[in-house]
Amino acid sequence: MLDLVMIRKNPEEVAAKLARKGLEIDFTDFLAADEKRRALIFQNEQLKAERNKTSAEIPKLKRQGEDTSSLMERMRQVGEEIRANDEILAAMQVEQNEFLAALPNLPGDEVPAGGKENNQVVAVYGEKPTFDFEPKHHVDLVTDLGLIDYPRGAKLGGSGFWVYRGDGARLEWALLNYFMSQHLADGYEMLLLPHILNYECGFTAGQFPKFAEDVFHLDSDFATAGKDFSFLLPTAETALVNLHRDEILDEDELPLKYFAYTPCYRREAGSHGANERGMIRGHQFNKVEIFQYARPDQAEAALKELVGKAESLVKGLGLHFRTSRLAAEDCSASMRRTLDIEIWIPSMDGYKEVSSASDAGDYQARRGNIRYRSSESGKPEFVHTLNASGLATSRVFPAIIEQMQTADGSVIIPEVLRPWMGGQEIISKK
């Protein structure tokens, strides 16, 4: 959520930054309503002060034999006016909160304006693989090798689901073990999280209310559930950012570094083009998420570390990829800046994101009231939250299959994964 004081002081600057994210907004009516609300608050405080003072005087006057009937009538009128004002203020507060909750985060100064056409490639690792044979699509390879069972996945869950089998299941689990071992070595704390979350989790993450329909709801009647529904987590970030909701953290412990493995459940899938068939988009996929709670002055180093960790994981697999800085409109609503690690998928003749390393600034912390007590000011201040996939497997898996394929339809297992594959070096058709 954006800082209300910042909007009051610099509405034109805030509007200009939101325009870089594709949102044209005029704060005139909002600020006029805010000024009216603040004036009413002041008026109500004056009335409450009068009530407190007069309520203390009435017993004294009664003991002195004074007639207090006019004062009693005045207090009745004041009480009714305060109650009426409180109701108006409550409604105004709800309206203001809803307006602020719908605003996206402001893009960082270095973030280019516009959509994905303005994304900037900032690094490239390795060379695109070349083949002296006709390379196969990963769907054909995993089917021939018995690694993925798409028909039975669809039978069990419908379109957008699949079943890992045999060496496919082992390769998937090897990837997860490889990712997690690296995060443990880097001093991140491992968490196993609930997969069912409440509305507050989605709100703090910045996904609700605008994107509430993009998740799998568990309530029978979502349309009437309001803010009471539960949902399946779309990413571990949604849980990790809520871990310290409504808490004041110890400054000396920052940055806090966590990681978590979870399946991710997304309603998105389906009609994204024939070249995205297979595992590129699905309703359920596996991902390891890395996350940091940091002081504002630690955020730059934290983002650099998260990007470096994601890049290092792909490098360790020996795969060709690039890193891109996303333009403002391509960043998610909650994030002020994002760098994507994009892996090469030969059959698509393009790159697909396997990790988005993002800095939310204090946007999520304001929504979740997550603070630390500053040693400088002595007051609670909002932390900054940062996250990255470390990594999602559903695109790494097909990239391995396609980039590591051989002429006879076998797949070379990346060396770093072999310890979790019992030393196996290659997957061949049985």
Side-chain angles (χ1 to χ4, degrees), residues 62-138:
K62 283 185 175 180
R63 286 195 296 270
Q64 296 171 7
E66 299 282 345
D67 181 8
T68 60
S69 57
S70 61
L71 289 177
M72 296 286 285
E73 175 60 21
R74 170 59 184 165
M75 288 303 95
R76 186 189 66 77
Q77 294 174 356
V78 166
E80 289 181 355
E81 191 171 352
I82 289 172
R83 283 191 293 273
N85 287 345
D86 283 341
E87 291 180 4
I88 294 171
L89 286 169
M92 294 177 79
Q93 187 67 62
V94 168
E95 185 175 349
Q96 184 179 83
N97 288 345
E98 289 179 348
F99 179 88
L100 291 172
L103 295 177
N105 203 349
L106 301 182
D109 293 337
E110 78 281 18
V111 176
K116 61 178 61 181
E117 68 279 359
N118 293 329
N119 291 354
Q120 301 171 341
V121 177
V122 297
V124 178
Y125 177 79
E127 300 291 334
K128 293 179 183 178
T130 57
F131 305 95
D132 57 6
F133 57 91
E134 186 66 29
K136 295 182 179 180
H137 193 287
H138 68 272

Coordinates of all heavy atoms in Angstrom, one line a residue, residues 62-138:
K62 N -23.8 19.7 40.5 CA -24.9 19.1 41.2 C -24.7 19.2 42.7 O -25.6 19.4 43.5 CB -25.1 17.6 40.8 CG -25.8 17.5 39.4 CD -26.0 16.0 39.1 CE -26.8 15.8 37.8 NZ -27.0 14.4 37.5
R63 N -23.5 18.9 43.1 CA -23.2 19.0 44.6 C -23.3 20.4 45.1 O -23.6 20.6 46.3 CB -21.7 18.5 44.8 CG -21.6 17.0 44.7 CD -20.3 16.5 45.3 NE -19.1 17.0 44.7 CZ -18.5 16.4 43.6 NH1 -19.0 15.2 43.2 NH2 -17.5 16.9 43.1
Q64 N -23.2 21.4 44.2 CA -23.3 22.8 44.6 C -24.8 23.3 44.5 O -25.0 24.4 44.7 CB -22.4 23.7 43.8 CG -20.9 23.4 44.0 CD -20.0 24.1 43.0 OE1 -20.5 24.9 42.2 NE2 -18.7 23.8 43.0
G65 N -25.6 22.3 44.1 CA -27.1 22.7 43.9 C -27.4 23.4 42.7 O -28.5 24.0 42.5
E66 N -26.5 23.4 41.7 CA -26.8 24.1 40.4 C -27.7 23.2 39.5 O -27.7 22.0 39.6 CB -25.5 24.3 39.7 CG -24.5 25.2 40.4 CD -24.8 26.6 40.3 OE1 -25.6 27.0 39.5 OE2 -24.3 27.4 41.1
D67 N -28.4 23.9 38.7 CA -29.3 23.3 37.7 C -28.4 22.8 36.5 O -27.9 23.7 35.8 CB -30.4 24.2 37.2 CG -31.3 23.5 36.2 OD1 -31.2 22.3 36.0 OD2 -32.2 24.2 35.6
T68 N -28.3 21.5 36.2 CA -27.5 21.0 35.2 C -28.3 20.5 34.0 O -27.7 19.8 33.1 CB -26.6 19.9 35.7 OG1 -27.4 18.8 36.2 CG2 -25.7 20.4 36.8
S69 N -29.6 20.8 33.9 CA -30.4 20.2 32.9 C -30.0 20.7 31.5 O -30.0 19.9 30.5 CB -31.9 20.6 33.1 OG -32.0 22.0 33.2
S70 N -29.6 22.0 31.4 CA -29.2 22.4 30.0 C -27.8 21.8 29.6 O -27.7 21.5 28.4 CB -29.0 24.0 30.1 OG -28.0 24.3 31.0
L71 N -26.9 21.6 30.6 CA -25.7 20.9 30.3 C -25.9 19.4 29.9 O -25.3 18.9 29.0 CB -24.7 21.0 31.5 CG -24.1 22.3 31.8 CD1 -23.2 22.3 33.0 CD2 -23.3 22.8 30.6
M72 N -26.9 18.8 30.6 CA -27.2 17.4 30.3 C -27.8 17.3 28.9 O -27.4 16.4 28.2 CB -28.2 16.9 31.3 CG -27.7 16.8 32.8 SD -26.5 15.5 33.0 CE -27.6 14.1 33.1
E73 N -28.6 18.3 28.5 CA -29.2 18.2 27.2 C -28.1 18.5 26.1 O -28.1 17.8 25.1 CB -30.3 19.3 27.0 CG -30.8 19.5 25.6 CD -31.5 18.2 25.1 OE1 -31.9 17.4 25.9 OE2 -31.6 18.1 23.9
R74 N -27.2 19.4 26.5 CA -26.0 19.6 25.5 C -25.2 18.4 25.4 O -24.8 18.0 24.3 CB -25.2 20.8 26.1 CG -23.9 21.0 25.4 CD -24.0 21.3 23.9 NE -22.7 21.4 23.2 CZ -22.6 21.4 21.9 NH1 -23.6 21.2 21.1 NH2 -21.4 21.5 21.4
M75 N -25.0 17.7 26.5 CA -24.2 16.4 26.4 C -24.9 15.4 25.6 O -24.2 14.6 24.8 CB -23.8 15.9 27.8 CG -22.8 16.7 28.5 SD -21.2 16.9 27.7 CE -21.4 18.5 26.8
R76 N -26.2 15.3 25.7 CA -27.0 14.4 24.8 C -26.8 14.7 23.4 O -26.5 13.8 22.5 CB -28.4 14.4 25.2 CG -29.3 13.4 24.5 CD -30.8 13.6 24.8 NE -31.2 14.8 24.2 CZ -31.5 15.0 22.9 NH1 -31.3 14.0 22.0 NH2 -31.9 16.2 22.4
Q77 N -26.9 16.0 23.0 CA -26.7 16.4 21.6 C -25.3 16.1 21.1 O -25.1 15.7 20.0 CB -27.0 17.9 21.5 CG -28.5 18.2 21.8 CD -28.7 19.8 21.8 OE1 -27.8 20.5 21.7 NE2 -30.0 20.2 21.9
V78 N -24.3 16.4 22.0 CA -22.9 16.2 21.7 C -22.7 14.7 21.4 O -22.0 14.3 20.5 CB -21.9 16.7 22.8 CG1 -20.5 16.1 22.6 CG2 -21.9 18.2 22.8
G79 N -23.2 13.8 22.3 CA -23.1 12.4 22.1 C -23.7 11.9 20.8 O -23.0 11.1 20.1
E80 N -24.8 12.4 20.4 CA -25.5 12.0 19.2 C -24.6 12.5 18.0 O -24.5 11.8 17.0 CB -26.9 12.6 19.1 CG -27.9 11.9 20.0 CD -29.2 12.5 19.9 OE1 -29.4 13.5 19.1 OE2 -30.2 12.0 20.6
E81 N -24.1 13.7 18.1 CA -23.2 14.2 17.0 C -22.0 13.4 16.9 O -21.5 13.1 15.7 CB -22.9 15.7 17.3 CG -22.3 16.4 16.1 CD -22.1 17.9 16.3 OE1 -22.7 18.4 17.3 OE2 -21.5 18.6 15.5
I82 N -21.4 13.0 18.0 CA -20.1 12.2 18.0 C -20.4 10.9 17.3 O -19.7 10.4 16.4 CB -19.6 12.0 19.4 CG1 -19.0 13.3 19.9 CG2 -18.5 10.9 19.4 CD1 -18.5 13.3 21.3
R83 N -21.5 10.2 17.7 CA -21.9 8.9 17.1 C -22.1 9.0 15.6 O -21.7 8.2 14.8 CB -23.1 8.4 17.8 CG -22.8 7.7 19.2 CD -24.0 7.0 19.7 NE -25.2 7.8 20.0 CZ -25.3 8.5 21.1 NH1 -24.5 8.3 22.1 NH2 -26.4 9.2 21.3
A84 N -22.8 10.1 15.2 CA -23.1 10.3 13.8 C -21.8 10.5 13.0 O -21.6 10.0 11.9 CB -24.0 11.5 13.6
N85 N -20.9 11.3 13.6 CA -19.6 11.6 13.0 C -18.8 10.3 12.9 O -18.1 10.1 11.9 CB -18.8 12.7 13.7 CG -19.4 14.0 13.5 OD1 -20.2 14.3 12.6 ND2 -19.0 15.0 14.4
D86 N -18.8 9.5 13.9 CA -18.1 8.2 13.9 C -18.5 7.3 12.8 O -17.7 6.7 12.1 CB -18.2 7.5 15.3 CG -17.3 8.1 16.4 OD1 -16.4 8.8 16.0 OD2 -17.6 7.9 17.6
E87 N -19.8 7.3 12.6 CA -20.3 6.4 11.5 C -19.9 7.0 10.1 O -19.5 6.2 9.2 CB -21.9 6.4 11.5 CG -22.4 5.6 12.7 CD -23.9 5.6 12.7 OE1 -24.5 6.2 11.8 OE2 -24.5 5.1 13.7
I88 N -19.9 8.3 10.0 CA -19.5 8.9 8.7 C -18.0 8.7 8.5 O -17.5 8.3 7.4 CB -19.7 10.4 8.7 CG1 -21.3 10.7 8.7 CG2 -19.1 11.1 7.5 CD1 -21.6 12.1 9.0
L89 N -17.2 8.8 9.6 CA -15.7 8.6 9.5 C -15.4 7.2 9.2 O -14.4 6.9 8.4 CB -15.1 9.0 10.8 CG -15.0 10.5 11.1 CD1 -14.5 10.8 12.5 CD2 -14.0 11.2 10.1
A90 N -16.1 6.2 9.8 CA -15.9 4.8 9.5 C -16.1 4.5 8.0 O -15.3 3.8 7.4 CB -16.8 3.9 10.3
A91 N -17.2 5.1 7.4 CA -17.5 4.9 6.0 C -16.4 5.5 5.1 O -15.9 5.0 4.1 CB -18.8 5.4 5.7
M92 N -16.0 6.7 5.6 CA -14.9 7.4 4.8 C -13.6 6.7 4.9 O -12.9 6.7 3.9 CB -14.8 8.9 5.3 CG -16.0 9.8 5.1 SD -15.8 11.4 5.9 CE -14.8 12.2 4.6
Q93 N -13.3 6.1 6.0 CA -12.1 5.3 6.2 C -12.1 4.1 5.3 O -11.1 3.8 4.7 CB -11.9 4.9 7.6 CG -10.5 4.3 7.9 CD -9.4 5.2 7.8 OE1 -9.3 6.2 8.5 NE2 -8.5 4.9 6.8
V94 N -13.2 3.4 5.2 CA -13.3 2.3 4.4 C -13.1 2.7 2.9 O -12.4 2.0 2.2 CB -14.7 1.6 4.5 CG1 -14.9 0.5 3.4 CG2 -14.8 0.9 5.9
E95 N -13.7 3.7 2.5 CA -13.6 4.2 1.1 C -12.2 4.6 0.8 O -11.6 4.3 -0.3 CB -14.5 5.4 0.9 CG -14.6 5.9 -0.6 CD -15.6 7.0 -0.8 OE1 -16.4 7.3 0.2 OE2 -15.5 7.7 -1.8
Q96 N -11.5 5.3 1.8 CA -10.1 5.6 1.5 C -9.2 4.4 1.5 O -8.3 4.3 0.6 CB -9.6 6.6 2.7 CG -8.2 7.1 2.5 CD -7.8 8.0 3.6 OE1 -7.3 7.6 4.6 NE2 -7.9 9.3 3.4
N97 N -9.4 3.5 2.4 CA -8.6 2.2 2.4 C -8.8 1.5 1.1 O -7.8 0.9 0.5 CB -9.0 1.3 3.6 CG -8.5 1.9 4.9 OD1 -7.7 2.8 4.9 ND2 -9.1 1.4 6.0
E98 N -10.0 1.4 0.6 CA -10.2 0.6 -0.7 C -9.6 1.3 -1.8 O -9.0 0.7 -2.7 CB -11.8 0.5 -0.9 CG -12.4 -0.4 0.0 CD -13.9 -0.5 -0.2 OE1 -14.5 0.3 -0.9 OE2 -14.6 -1.4 0.4
F99 N -9.5 2.6 -1.8 CA -8.9 3.4 -2.9 C -7.4 3.1 -2.9 O -6.7 2.8 -3.9 CB -9.1 4.9 -2.7 CG -8.5 5.7 -3.8 CD1 -9.1 6.0 -5.0 CD2 -7.2 6.3 -3.5 CE1 -8.4 6.8 -5.9 CE2 -6.5 7.1 -4.5 CZ -7.2 7.4 -5.7
L100 N -6.8 3.2 -1.7 CA -5.3 3.0 -1.5 C -4.9 1.5 -1.8 O -3.9 1.3 -2.5 CB -4.9 3.4 -0.1 CG -4.9 4.8 0.2 CD1 -4.6 5.0 1.7 CD2 -3.9 5.6 -0.6
A101 N -5.8 0.6 -1.4 CA -5.5 -0.8 -1.6 C -5.5 -1.2 -3.1 O -4.8 -2.2 -3.5 CB -6.5 -1.7 -0.9
A102 N -6.2 -0.4 -3.9 CA -6.3 -0.7 -5.3 C -5.1 -0.2 -6.1 O -4.9 -0.5 -7.3 CB -7.6 -0.2 -5.9
L103 N -4.3 0.7 -5.5 CA -3.2 1.3 -6.2 C -2.0 0.4 -6.2 O -1.7 -0.2 -5.2 CB -2.8 2.6 -5.5 CG -3.8 3.8 -5.5 CD1 -3.2 5.0 -4.7 CD2 -4.1 4.2 -7.0
P104 N -1.3 0.2 -7.4 CA -0.1 -0.6 -7.4 C 1.1 0.2 -6.8 O 1.0 1.3 -6.5 CB 0.1 -0.8 -8.9 CG -0.4 0.5 -9.5 CD -1.6 0.8 -8.7
N105 N 2.2 -0.6 -6.6 CA 3.4 0.0 -6.1 C 4.0 1.0 -7.1 O 3.7 0.9 -8.3 CB 4.4 -1.1 -5.8 CG 5.4 -0.7 -4.8 OD1 5.5 0.5 -4.4 ND2 6.2 -1.6 -4.2
L106 N 4.8 1.9 -6.6 CA 5.5 2.9 -7.5 C 6.7 2.2 -8.1 O 7.5 1.6 -7.3 CB 5.8 4.1 -6.8 CG 4.7 4.9 -6.1 CD1 5.3 6.2 -5.5 CD2 3.6 5.3 -7.1
P107 N 7.0 2.4 -9.4 CA 8.2 1.8 -10.0 C 9.4 2.5 -9.5 O 9.4 3.7 -9.2 CB 8.0 1.9 -11.5 CG 7.1 3.1 -11.6 CD 6.2 3.1 -10.4
G108 N 10.6 1.8 -9.4 CA 11.8 2.4 -9.0 C 12.3 3.3 -10.1 O 11.9 3.2 -11.3
D109 N 13.2 4.2 -9.8 CA 13.6 5.2 -10.7 C 14.3 4.6 -11.9 O 14.3 5.2 -13.0 CB 14.6 6.2 -10.0 CG 13.8 7.1 -9.0 OD1 12.6 7.2 -9.1 OD2 14.5 7.6 -8.1
E110 N 15.0 3.5 -11.7 CA 15.8 2.9 -12.8 C 14.9 2.0 -13.7 O 15.4 1.5 -14.7 CB 16.9 2.0 -12.2 CG 16.5 0.6 -11.7 CD 15.9 0.7 -10.3 OE1 15.5 1.8 -9.8 OE2 15.9 -0.4 -9.6
V111 N 13.6 1.8 -13.3 CA 12.8 0.9 -14.1 C 12.2 1.6 -15.3 O 11.6 2.7 -15.2 CB 11.6 0.4 -13.2 CG1 10.6 -0.4 -14.0 CG2 12.1 -0.3 -12.0
P112 N 12.4 1.1 -16.5 CA 11.9 1.7 -17.7 C 10.3 1.7 -17.7 O 9.7 0.8 -17.2 CB 12.4 0.9 -18.9 CG 12.8 -0.4 -18.3 CD 13.1 -0.2 -16.8
A113 N 9.8 2.8 -18.3 CA 8.3 2.9 -18.4 C 7.8 1.9 -19.4 O 8.5 1.4 -20.3 CB 7.9 4.3 -18.6
G114 N 6.5 1.7 -19.4 CA 5.8 0.9 -20.5 C 5.8 -0.5 -20.2 O 6.0 -1.0 -19.1
G115 N 5.4 -1.3 -21.2 CA 5.2 -2.7 -21.1 C 6.4 -3.6 -21.4 O 7.5 -3.1 -21.5
K116 N 6.2 -4.9 -21.6 CA 7.3 -5.8 -21.8 C 8.2 -5.5 -23.0 O 9.3 -6.0 -23.1 CB 6.8 -7.2 -21.9 CG 5.8 -7.5 -23.0 CD 5.4 -9.0 -23.0 CE 4.7 -9.4 -21.7 NZ 4.3 -10.8 -21.7
E117 N 7.6 -4.8 -24.0 CA 8.5 -4.4 -25.1 C 9.7 -3.5 -24.7 O 10.6 -3.4 -25.4 CB 7.6 -3.7 -26.2 CG 7.1 -2.3 -25.8 CD 5.9 -2.3 -24.9 OE1 5.4 -3.4 -24.6 OE2 5.4 -1.2 -24.6
N118 N 9.6 -3.0 -23.5 CA 10.7 -2.1 -23.0 C 11.6 -2.8 -22.0 O 12.4 -2.2 -21.4 CB 10.1 -0.8 -22.4 CG 9.4 0.1 -23.4 OD1 9.9 0.1 -24.6 ND2 8.4 0.8 -23.0
N119 N 11.3 -4.1 -21.8 CA 12.2 -4.9 -20.9 C 13.7 -4.8 -21.4 O 13.9 -4.8 -22.6 CB 11.8 -6.3 -20.8 CG 10.5 -6.5 -20.1 OD1 9.9 -5.6 -19.5 ND2 9.9 -7.7 -20.0
Q120 N 14.6 -4.8 -20.5 CA 16.0 -4.7 -20.8 C 16.8 -5.9 -20.4 O 16.8 -6.3 -19.3 CB 16.6 -3.4 -20.1 CG 15.9 -2.1 -20.4 CD 16.4 -1.0 -19.5 OE1 16.9 -1.2 -18.4 NE2 16.1 0.2 -20.0
V121 N 17.5 -6.5 -21.4 CA 18.4 -7.6 -21.1 C 19.7 -7.1 -20.5 O 20.3 -6.2 -21.1 CB 18.7 -8.4 -22.4 CG1 19.7 -9.5 -22.0 CG2 17.4 -9.0 -23.0
V122 N 20.0 -7.5 -19.2 CA 21.1 -7.0 -18.5 C 22.3 -8.0 -18.4 O 23.4 -7.6 -18.1 CB 20.7 -6.5 -17.1 CG1 19.7 -5.4 -17.2 CG2 20.2 -7.7 -16.3
A123 N 22.0 -9.3 -18.7 CA 23.1 -10.2 -18.7 C 22.7 -11.5 -19.5 O 21.5 -11.8 -19.5 CB 23.4 -10.7 -17.2
V124 N 23.7 -12.1 -20.1 CA 23.4 -13.4 -20.8 C 24.5 -14.4 -20.4 O 25.7 -14.0 -20.3 CB 23.5 -13.1 -22.4 CG1 23.3 -14.5 -23.1 CG2 22.5 -12.1 -22.8
Y125 N 24.1 -15.6 -20.1 CA 25.0 -16.6 -19.7 C 25.1 -17.8 -20.7 O 24.0 -18.3 -21.1 CB 24.6 -17.2 -18.3 CG 25.5 -18.3 -17.9 CD1 26.7 -18.1 -17.3 CD2 25.1 -19.6 -18.0 CE1 27.6 -19.1 -16.9 CE2 25.9 -20.7 -17.6 CZ 27.1 -20.4 -17.1 OH 28.0 -21.4 -16.7
G126 N 26.3 -18.1 -21.1 CA 26.4 -19.2 -22.0 C 25.9 -18.9 -23.4 O 25.5 -17.9 -23.8
E127 N 26.0 -19.9 -24.3 CA 25.6 -19.9 -25.7 C 24.4 -20.7 -25.9 O 24.2 -21.7 -25.2 CB 26.7 -20.3 -26.6 CG 28.0 -19.5 -26.5 CD 27.9 -18.1 -27.0 OE1 27.0 -17.9 -27.9 OE2 28.6 -17.3 -26.6
K128 N 23.5 -20.3 -26.9 CA 22.4 -21.2 -27.2 C 22.9 -22.5 -27.7 O 23.9 -22.5 -28.5 CB 21.6 -20.5 -28.3 CG 20.8 -19.2 -27.9 CD 20.0 -18.6 -29.0 CE 19.4 -17.4 -28.6 NZ 18.6 -16.7 -29.8
P129 N 22.4 -23.6 -27.2 CA 22.8 -24.9 -27.7 C 22.6 -25.1 -29.2 O 21.5 -24.6 -29.7 CB 22.0 -25.9 -26.9 CG 20.8 -25.1 -26.4 CD 21.3 -23.7 -26.3
T130 N 23.5 -25.7 -29.9 CA 23.3 -26.1 -31.3 C 23.3 -27.6 -31.4 O 23.9 -28.3 -30.6 CB 24.4 -25.5 -32.1 OG1 25.7 -25.9 -31.7 CG2 24.4 -24.0 -32.1
F131 N 22.6 -28.1 -32.4 CA 22.4 -29.5 -32.6 C 22.8 -29.9 -34.0 O 22.4 -29.2 -34.9 CB 21.0 -30.0 -32.2 CG 20.5 -29.5 -30.9 CD1 19.8 -28.4 -30.7 CD2 20.8 -30.3 -29.8 CE1 19.3 -28.0 -29.5 CE2 20.3 -29.9 -28.5 CZ 19.6 -28.7 -28.4
D132 N 23.5 -31.1 -34.2 CA 23.7 -31.6 -35.5 C 22.7 -32.6 -35.9 O 23.0 -33.5 -36.7 CB 25.2 -32.1 -35.6 CG 25.4 -33.2 -34.6 OD1 24.4 -33.6 -33.8 OD2 26.5 -33.7 -34.4
F133 N 21.5 -32.5 -35.3 CA 20.4 -33.4 -35.6 C 19.1 -32.5 -35.4 O 19.2 -31.4 -34.9 CB 20.4 -34.6 -34.7 CG 20.4 -34.3 -33.2 CD1 19.2 -34.2 -32.5 CD2 21.5 -34.1 -32.5 CE1 19.1 -33.9 -31.1 CE2 21.5 -33.8 -31.1 CZ 20.3 -33.7 -30.5
E134 N 18.0 -33.1 -35.8 CA 16.7 -32.4 -35.6 C 16.3 -32.5 -34.1 O 15.9 -33.6 -33.7 CB 15.7 -33.0 -36.5 CG 14.3 -32.2 -36.5 CD 14.5 -30.8 -37.0 OE1 15.3 -30.6 -37.9 OE2 13.7 -29.9 -36.6
P135 N 16.4 -31.4 -33.3 CA 16.0 -31.5 -31.9 C 14.5 -31.7 -31.7 O 13.7 -31.3 -32.5 CB 16.5 -30.2 -31.3 CG 16.5 -29.3 -32.4 CD 16.8 -30.1 -33.7
K136 N 14.1 -32.4 -30.7 CA 12.7 -32.7 -30.4 C 12.2 -31.7 -29.3 O 12.9 -31.1 -28.5 CB 12.6 -34.1 -29.8 CG 12.9 -35.2 -30.8 CD 12.7 -36.6 -30.2 CE 13.0 -37.8 -31.2 NZ 12.8 -39.1 -30.5
H137 N 10.9 -31.6 -29.4 CA 10.1 -30.9 -28.4 C 10.1 -31.7 -27.0 O 10.1 -32.9 -27.0 CB 8.7 -30.7 -28.8 CG 7.9 -29.6 -28.1 ND1 7.5 -29.9 -26.8 CD2 7.5 -28.4 -28.4 CE1 6.8 -28.8 -26.4 NE2 6.8 -27.9 -27.3
H138 N 10.2 -30.9 -25.9 CA 10.3 -31.6 -24.6 C 9.1 -32.5 -24.4 O 9.2 -33.6 -23.7 CB 10.4 -30.6 -23.5 CG 9.2 -29.8 -23.2 ND1 9.0 -28.6 -23.8 CD2 8.2 -29.9 -22.4 CE1 7.9 -28.0 -23.4 NE2 7.4 -28.8 -22.5

